[in-house]
């Protein structure tokens, strides 16, 4: 069965078409600037094997974007399939499932309502995800669709990990708590590790280090803690997000600079992290580490704070799990930067972590020494495949 995986943003739509008979990627594409006019650059790109299409097309809304996607997927020359009927199901990435979803679900009206109800928790993404689902439904009304939530994997966290130390009424009335994100990636990677090592009884720390970054503590395949919180702002230092900080900073800066709460949150989301701490040098790890290696103070301090925080979370999670068997690195930085992994694991020998410099430099799967008590692995994440697998499982059960 071919499954279309959709990740709809407020003005963008990412997609992959996967043949689930052999988990082969048939097509991959991106539509940007949905709802915008008067731009010059191309805003649609698709890759089918070696065939690449790039187009400039003004699109009023997500429905028009979907129509374009289907047109290009079924293009006789540059497309991947003959017609729409060969798409057996659609899997949608949805950011915030709140406490309503512990796993992926078949999309029906009650699911749409729950995604809508969770908009206050994911005000930027949930409306876009919903728009994407509705647009897709209009075009393929008879194709089953599945929602896969970024928060679902973390729903196994115990209360001691998800409650914040504020008046309990905010949990009761506003549902303020830690939810965590990147759950599809953490779940995929932890399952891959269990498969690779042939055992489920593992205490793992997963480091998903990309532009957005998060870590999780996983015991016997279940998440017991994660670094992102009510929103993806908490935790590690990221490309443009601050991660953890004293909440009083918000009031302090807001008062002195006359900023509103929402301006402060935008500042912490968009112009902090790498870009902020490096004084505007870059939001991209490659630039930060290159600058650090060249002795540039801005790159050095950013890499230092970034890696120190990861190390602190590893220690905290080892304590939370009462042990540690595996540390896993994944996503753009985790999969590709041996410098990042080496820095993050500095001074962790006491925990039983012994990094093999050669294996690390060669981006091997196992990068710890043979004697290391804790195994350190590099495992590529594949959120789209995880979404497609869930979709297949749910849709197959319908028959
Ligand atoms: P997201 O999906 O959150 O947008 P990615 O997982 O694609 O982000 O990760 C993006 C980050 O990965 C960037 O900071 C980038 O510098 C880093 N990255 C990507 N490729 C490499 C590489 N070959 N070496 C070092 N860092 C890399």
């Amino acid at each position: 069965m071919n499954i279309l995986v959709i990740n709809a943003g407020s003005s963008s739509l990412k997609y992959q078409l996967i043949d689930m008979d052999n988990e082969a990627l048939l097509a991959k594409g991106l539509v940007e600037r949905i709802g915008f006019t008067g731009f010059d650059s191309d805003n649609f790109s698709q890759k089918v094997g070696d065939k690449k299409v790039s187009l400039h097309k003004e699109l009023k809304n997500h429905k028009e974007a979907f129509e374009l996607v289907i047109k290009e997927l079924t293009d006789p020359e540059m497309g991947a399939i003959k017609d729409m009927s060969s798409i057996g199901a659609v899997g949608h990435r949805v950011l915030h499932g709140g406490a309503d979803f512990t796993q992926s679900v078949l999309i029906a009206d009650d699911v749409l309502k729950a995604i809508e109800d969770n908009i206050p928790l994911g005000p930027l993404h949930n409306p876009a995800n919903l728009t994407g689902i509705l647009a897709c439904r209009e075009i393929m009304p008879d194709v089953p669709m599945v929602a896969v939530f970024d928060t679902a994997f973390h729903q196994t966290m115990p209360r001691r990990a998800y409650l914040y130390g504020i008046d309990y009424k905010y949990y009761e009335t506003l549902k303020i708590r830690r939810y965590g994100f990147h759950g599809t990636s953490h779940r995929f990677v932890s399952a891959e590790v269990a498969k690779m090592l042939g055992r489920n009884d593992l205490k793992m720390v997963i480091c998903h280090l990309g532009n957005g970054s998060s870590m999780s503590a996983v015991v016997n395949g279940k998440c017991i803690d994660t670094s992102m919180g009510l929103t993806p702002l908490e935790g590690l230092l990221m490309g443009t997000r601050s991660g953890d900080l004293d909440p009083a900073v918000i009031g302090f800066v807001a008062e002195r600079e006359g900023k509103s709460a929402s301006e402060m949150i935008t500042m912490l989301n968009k112009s902090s992290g790498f870009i902020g701490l490096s004084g505007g040098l870059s939001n991209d790890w490659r630039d930060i580490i290159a600058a650090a290696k060249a002795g540039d103070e801005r790159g050095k301090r950013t890499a230092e704070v970034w890696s120190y925080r990861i190390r602190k979370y590893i220690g905290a999670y080892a304590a939370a799990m009462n042990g540690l068997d595996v540390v896993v690195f994944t996503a753009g930085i985790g999969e590709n930067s041996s410098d990042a992994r080496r820095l993050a694991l500095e001074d962790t020998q006491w925990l039983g972590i012994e990094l093999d410099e050669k294996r690390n430099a060669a981006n091997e799967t196992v990068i710890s020494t043979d004697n290391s008590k804790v195994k350190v692995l590099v495992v590529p994440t594949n959120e789209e495949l995880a979404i497609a697998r869930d979709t297949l499982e749910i849709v197959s059960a319908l028959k």
Side-chain angles (χ1 to χ4, degrees):
M1 183 194 288
N2 293 336
I3 291 182
L4 183 61
V5 176
I6 298 290
N7 183 357
S10 55
S11 63
S12 69
L13 197 158
K14 273 192 223 159
Y15 63 96
Q16 285 194 9
L17 184 66
I18 303 175
D19 176 356
M20 291 307 286
D21 292 344
N22 48 10
E23 296 194 336
L25 179 65
L26 300 179
K28 182 177 176 170
L30 171 66
V31 193
E32 292 173 292
R33 296 177 191 259
I34 301 170
F36 286 72
T37 52
F39 54 89
D40 296 325
S41 53
D42 284 356
N43 61 323
F44 173 87
S45 59
Q46 176 175 279
K47 204 164 163 253
V48 176
D50 293 336
K51 300 182 286 186
K52 284 185 193 162
V53 190
S54 179
L55 298 170
H56 172 270
K57 194 139 181 133
E58 290 189 1
L59 301 156
K60 277 203 208 80
N61 49 40
H62 282 75
K63 183 168 174 248
E64 287 193 5
F66 260 112
E67 282 164 349
L68 177 65
V69 169
I70 297 297
K71 181 168 170 284
E72 294 303 320
L73 277 176
T74 55
D75 185 85
E77 207 183 315
M78 304 302 275
I81 46 173
K82 254 204 184 136
D83 55 56
M84 217 163 75
S85 68
S86 69
I87 299 174
V90 182
H92 290 272
R93 179 182 183 191
V94 181
L95 182 85
H96 220 307
D100 296 321
F101 298 100
T102 55
Q103 56 193 23
S104 305
V105 288
L106 188 71
I107 297 178
D109 289 344
D110 60 327
V111 173
L112 293 178
K113 166 89 173 48
I115 296 172
E116 199 175 350
D117 289 346
N118 282 312
I119 285 178
L121 298 174
L124 298 177
H125 293 82
N126 274 33
N129 300 150
L130 207 53
T131 308
I133 294 170
L134 294 174
C136 194
R137 242 191 179 188
E138 251 186 85
I139 292 169
M140 341 175 147
D142 300 323
V143 177
M145 301 198 190
V146 168
V148 179
F149 299 92
D150 239 35
T151 47
F153 180 63
H154 303 304
Q155 277 297 306
T156 48
M157 277 187 291
R159 165 173 88 176
R160 64 184 183 211
Y162 71 67
L163 283 181
Y164 289 125
I166 56 174
D167 192 326
Y168 192 67
K169 75 175 183 202
Y170 292 116
Y171 170 65
E172 292 181 306
T173 55
L174 298 177
K175 302 182 188 171
I176 305 285
R177 52 160 283 182
R178 176 185 309 288
Y179 289 98
F181 299 87
H182 292 141
T184 312
S185 173
H186 287 277
R187 178 163 59 105
F188 179 85
V189 168
S190 60
E192 287 292 301
V193 171
K195 225 186 323 173
M196 267 179 211
L197 302 183
R199 45 187 283 214
N200 289 317
D201 59 329
L202 292 165
K203 291 174 177 170
M204 281 187 222
V205 169
I206 297 173
C207 311
H208 176 112
L209 309 175
N211 192 27
S213 297
S214 65
M215 288 172 62
S216 66
V218 176
V219 177
N220 305 338
K222 293 212 171 358
C223 176
I224 62 131
D225 205 350
T226 193
S227 61
M228 282 179 167
L230 173 74
T231 78
L233 186 52
E234 195 178 345
L236 305 178
L237 196 73
M238 312 180 210
T240 61
R241 295 188 193 121
S242 63
D244 298 336
L245 88 167
D246 181 346
V249 170
I250 298 175
F252 194 95
V253 175
E255 266 174 33
R256 274 163 186 74
E257 298 198 344
K259 286 192 162 69
S260 68
S262 76
E263 283 173 326
M264 286 305 299
I265 296 299
T266 302
M267 185 271 270
L268 295 175
N269 267 305
K270 302 276 186 208
S271 50
S272 302
F274 292 172
I275 190 84
L277 195 51
S278 70
L281 178 66
S282 177
N283 64 351
D284 191 299
W285 171 254
R286 284 167 287 204
D287 300 329
I288 298 296
I289 191 65
K293 284 169 120 175
D296 183 320
E297 187 50 38
R298 298 169 300 172
K300 276 165 71 177
R301 66 176 178 246
T302 307
E304 234 172 72
V305 173
W306 177 82
S307 54
Y308 176 67
R309 197 170 294 179
I310 294 172
R311 188 149 68 246
K312 281 212 293 191
Y313 268 98
I314 294 175
Y317 287 166
M321 295 189 293
N322 188 23
L324 179 63
D325 299 309
V326 185
V327 175
V328 199
F329 288 93
T330 194
I333 302 173
E335 289 168 31
N336 297 299
S337 175
S338 53
D339 290 317
R341 297 187 297 256
R342 181 176 36 75
L343 288 173
L345 296 179
E346 248 170 30
D347 298 331
T348 53
Q349 294 83 352
W350 69 277
L351 267 172
I353 297 174
E354 245 184 66
L355 190 68
D356 183 310
E357 292 288 353
K358 270 198 190 142
R359 290 175 179 172
N360 184 41
N363 279 325
E364 287 184 20
T365 303
V366 179
I367 58 168
S368 45
T369 63
D370 292 340
N371 291 328
S372 183
K373 199 164 90 26
V374 173
K375 263 202 160 36
V376 185
L377 304 175
V378 179
V379 177
T381 190
N382 191 339
E383 292 170 87
E384 289 78 13
L385 182 57
I387 293 173
R389 283 181 184 167
D390 278 12
T391 305
L392 179 69
E393 192 182 320
I394 289 174
V395 169
S396 302
L398 293 176
K399 290 177 183 154

